């Protein structure tokens, strides 16, 4: 049997090139080799954003980006967590198999506590990785393509799977995280992370002009004031984008930046062209779906019926070994 992949993202709206490089591109290449399930984490998103009024819209926008980037929903079902009740059921059962002490050690929870404060931390956030374990194990995912930050959640998933299998009988695989080859993209403002909330992103849907405008404002090496000044590519975020989107020209750009022969304006222009080349086919495809959102919903609903069948079969096995009912 083909190995199974479970990949998921929270629906926060249109995706940016950081999502693409850090996750989506990986999903697309892996769908050839594996049986893939693509989950819209529309419960998880409530842990940080209880305003649910935009979830539907954001889901459609995100799924358009997935399909435009090359996810084939015929081959790999795309579905919403909230539409398959088995997620909540398995989440509840799993919550009996992990201690609160273990969940309190979860590093993403610690980050959250740092960002908020303990008083405003929701119970749901403590259970976040338990719900994620249910997402993965309901489909018996063997491989989970994630960024570095999600590895602790996959580790918790493995512990829960092990615990369940010991306690009740072998039902679940122990999934492996699969890290993306490329480290995540730096934001346009130089922040270590490109993220919607920081407003430092290039969207998959951005036009060439929008990319150009955004790059124009991007910070480069502060010591390079004008063309002719020697630059330090290693501190320049535009150079880091070249590495990803324009690898062939990297040696030349590096030499000419250091010598001063290449100015930031021209370098940014080159960068605009190469990012645009990457995004052009995606943008074209997303335009088609942009005006056919009903079709996108139909694709999701179809994915949900297939995902549900798998989830129900897993829950049948779970109930059987647990002697529930
Ligand atoms: N927590 C993941 C993130 O924020 C999203 C997610 C939810 C997920 N369920 C998942 C990722 C299952 C992989 C597998 O990126």
């Amino acid at each position: 049997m083909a190995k199974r992949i479970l990949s998921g993202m929270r629906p926060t709206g249109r995706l940016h090139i950081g999502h693409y490089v850090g996750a989506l591109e990986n999903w697309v290449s892996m769908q050839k080799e594996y049986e893939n399930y693509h989950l819209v984490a529309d419960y998880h998103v409530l842990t940080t954003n209880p305003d649910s009024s935009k979830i539907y819209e954001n889901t459609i926008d995100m799924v358009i980006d997935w399909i435009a980037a090359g996810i084939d929903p015929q081959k790999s079902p795309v579905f919403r967590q909230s539409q398959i009740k088995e997620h909540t059921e398995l989440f509840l059962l799993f919550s009996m198999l992990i201690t609160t002490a273990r969940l309190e050690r979860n590093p993403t929870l610690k980050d959250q506590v740092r960002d908020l404060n303990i008083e405003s931390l929701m119970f749901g956030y403590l259970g976040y990785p338990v719900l994620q374990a249910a997402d993965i194990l309901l489909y018996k995912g063997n491989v989970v393509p994630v960024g570095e930050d999600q590895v602790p959640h996959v580790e918790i998933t493995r512990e829960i799977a092990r615990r369940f299998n010991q306690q009740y009988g072998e039902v679940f695989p122990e999934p492996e995280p699969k890290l993306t080859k490329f480290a995540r993209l730096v934001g346009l403002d130089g922040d270590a992370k490109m993220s919607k909330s920081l407003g430092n992103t290039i969207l998959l849907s951005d036009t060439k002009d929008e990319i150009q405008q955004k790059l124009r404002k991007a910070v480069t090496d502060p010591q390079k004031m004008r063309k002719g000044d020697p630059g330090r590519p290693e501190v320049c975020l535009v150079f880091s984008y070249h590495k990803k989107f324009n690898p062939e020209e990297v040696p030349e750009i590096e030499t000419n930046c250091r010598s001063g022969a290449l100015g930031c304006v021209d370098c940014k222009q080159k960068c605009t062209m190469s990012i645009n080349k990457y995004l052009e086919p995606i943008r074209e495809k997303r335009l088609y779906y942009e005006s056919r959102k009903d079709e996108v919903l139909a694709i999701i609903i179809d994915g949900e019926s297939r995902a549900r069948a798998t989830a129900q079969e897993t829950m049948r096995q779970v109930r059987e070994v647990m002697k529930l009912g």
Side-chain angles (χ1 to χ4, degrees), residues 6-10 39 41 44 81 128 131-132 135-136 144-146 149-150 153:
L6 192 292
S7 35
M9 255 187 225
R10 283 169 298 156
L39 170 135
H44 276 117
Q81 193 180 36
Y128 188 115
L131 181 58
Q132 191 161 341
D135 295 343
I136 297 166
V144 190
V146 284
D149 61 316
Q150 294 291 312
H153 294 173

Side-chain angles (χ1 to χ4, degrees), residues 165-181:
N165 290 345
Q166 274 163 10
Q167 184 89 28
Y168 302 110
E170 198 74 22
V171 172
F172 297 114
E174 268 183 51
E176 310 265 353
K178 181 151 164 84
L179 288 166
T180 45
K181 291 185 289 282

Side-chain angles (χ1 to χ4, degrees), residues 128-226:
Y128 188 115
V130 184
L131 181 58
Q132 191 161 341
D135 295 343
I136 297 166
L137 295 174
L138 206 42
Y139 304 94
K140 300 192 179 181
N142 305 101
V143 179
V144 190
V146 284
E148 199 96 53
D149 61 316
Q150 294 291 312
V151 171
H153 294 173
V154 182
E155 187 49 43
I156 290 174
T157 303
R158 293 166 62 86
E159 289 173 27
I160 291 176
R162 225 175 293 146
R163 190 78 202 271
F164 184 97
N165 290 345
Q166 274 163 10
Q167 184 89 28
Y168 302 110
E170 198 74 22
V171 172
F172 297 114
E174 268 183 51
E176 310 265 353
K178 181 151 164 84
L179 288 166
T180 45
K181 291 185 289 282
F182 208 85
R184 65 167 154 223
L185 287 185
V186 186
L188 283 165
D189 55 356
D191 191 278
K193 194 177 169 197
M194 191 174 269
S195 101
K196 187 182 180 181
S197 56
L198 298 172
N200 60 6
T201 65
I202 294 176
L203 300 177
L204 294 187
S205 53
D206 280 347
T207 62
K208 190 174 154 202
D209 285 349
E210 285 166 326
I211 300 169
Q212 186 163 31
Q213 277 170 27
K214 287 181 174 180
L215 277 177
R216 197 176 288 152
K217 282 185 251 157
V219 289
T220 56
D221 178 0
Q223 288 178 16
K224 186 175 165 76
M225 309 286 279
R226 57 187 65 79

Side-chain angles (χ1 to χ4, degrees), residues 74-126:
Q74 243 66 51
K75 191 170 182 297
S76 326
V78 168
F79 58 97
R80 291 163 292 180
Q81 193 180 36
S82 69
Q83 299 308 302
I84 297 173
K85 297 208 175 2
E86 285 72 14
H87 286 260
T88 49
E89 197 178 342
L90 193 56
F91 167 64
L92 179 104
L93 296 173
F94 282 173
S95 73
M96 318 297 174
L97 296 176
I98 186 142
T99 63
T100 50
R102 175 68 183 90
L103 294 171
E104 279 160 5
R105 285 200 302 274
N106 171 25
T108 58
L109 181 85
K110 291 187 180 160
D111 291 346
Q112 198 66 22
V113 174
R114 207 174 306 131
D115 292 351
L116 299 165
N117 60 60
I118 197 77
E119 292 300 314
S120 45
L121 187 75
M122 296 298 164
F123 171 65
Y125 209 93
L126 188 68

Side-chain angles (χ1 to χ4, degrees), residues 265-307:
V265 174
D266 292 340
C267 178
K268 285 178 171 181
Q269 188 57 26
K270 280 181 194 291
C271 194
T272 300
M273 301 302 274
S274 42
I275 294 179
N276 187 57
K277 207 168 95 196
Y278 239 86
L279 299 189
E280 214 160 29
I282 298 177
R283 199 161 53 219
E284 229 160 77
K285 210 166 161 196
R286 95 180 299 296
L287 229 46
Y288 172 92
Y289 287 103
E290 196 63 52
S291 56
R292 291 171 182 80
K293 292 193 172 175
D294 290 351
E295 216 174 290
V296 179
L297 179 61
I299 287 171
I300 298 173
I301 289 174
D302 171 62
E304 281 161 2
S305 73
R306 285 180 286 151

